[in-house]
Amino acid sequence: HLAQFKKEEDPEWIGPMLISWSWPCPTMRDVKPGFQDDFSRTPCDGDLLHGCRDAPFYGCSRRRILQIICDSDGTIVVKPADSRQLEHAAATLLAEPDPPAIGDVPAVEWVGPLRLLWTRPPTIVDTLPQADKMFDLKPAAGDFLSRVDGKLAQRMTRRELLEGLKSSTEVEIRRPG
């Protein structure tokens, strides 16, 4: 897979973006002034270029990523570098068996910086500080995962949710009520 990318030390300008072709998602190194509005959030050095709306860059070749950008409306989803924790944790948990529920109480487990109670939808019971930078809404105990890439989390199994988190371009958190 790594052969599909240029060396990470060799960033290149693609339009207004200076990109390092890191695996599994390219990273932002710089953006020309006046182009910040083309991104889902103001990009910073080291941020992940995650995709264009419904087309994630996760695991795609440089050529495929450039094709996605050309075919898109131009809006690129940018995520903080810390978001890799969520992706990595989801990928790791997929290789493990489901945690056991205790009686009628659903299982609880850490998925990156979020401790989730596996209800439908999954409920956040605790967070680590880095979660604050990863979402539009600062997650807190009692919040729940509402959508992953536009799909309702309440309809997803643990496995489906982890698959979505592994390569998602959008995770929506909501407050109850």
Side-chain angles (χ1 to χ4, degrees), residues 99-102 105-111 114-119 123-126 158:
I102 301 171
V105 178
V108 176
E109 72 183 324
W110 284 100
V111 181
L114 302 176
R115 187 163 182 162
L116 297 177
L117 175 66
W118 287 110
T119 53
T123 302
I124 298 170
V125 294
D126 199 3
R158 174 186 175 271

Side-chain angles (χ1 to χ4, degrees), residues 39-80:
F39 298 90
S40 60
R41 57 181 281 283
T42 303
C44 299
D45 184 23
D47 281 353
L48 303 176
L49 294 176
H50 216 267
C52 291
R53 298 289 179 219
D54 295 332
F57 295 160
Y58 186 85
C60 292
S61 68
R62 175 185 173 277
R63 181 181 196 150
R64 176 69 184 130
I65 290 168
L66 293 175
Q67 187 62 52
I68 291 169
I69 292 170
C70 287
D71 293 344
S72 76
D73 66 0
T75 302
I76 296 175
V77 177
V78 179
K79 287 187 162 185

Side-chain angles (χ1 to χ4, degrees), residues 80-132:
D82 288 339
S83 67
R84 281 191 174 159
Q85 290 180 351
L86 191 62
E87 296 161 9
H88 177 73
T92 301
L93 290 170
L94 280 166
E96 299 175 7
D98 288 359
I102 301 171
D104 292 338
V105 178
V108 176
E109 72 183 324
W110 284 100
V111 181
L114 302 176
R115 187 163 182 162
L116 297 177
L117 175 66
W118 287 110
T119 53
R120 288 209 184 177
T123 302
I124 298 170
V125 294
D126 199 3
T127 65
L128 296 177
Q130 58 266 40
D132 296 352

Side-chain angles (χ1 to χ4, degrees), residues 16-27:
M17 304 172 290
L18 183 61
I19 298 174
S20 289
W21 295 102
S22 50
W23 180 262
C25 288
T27 54

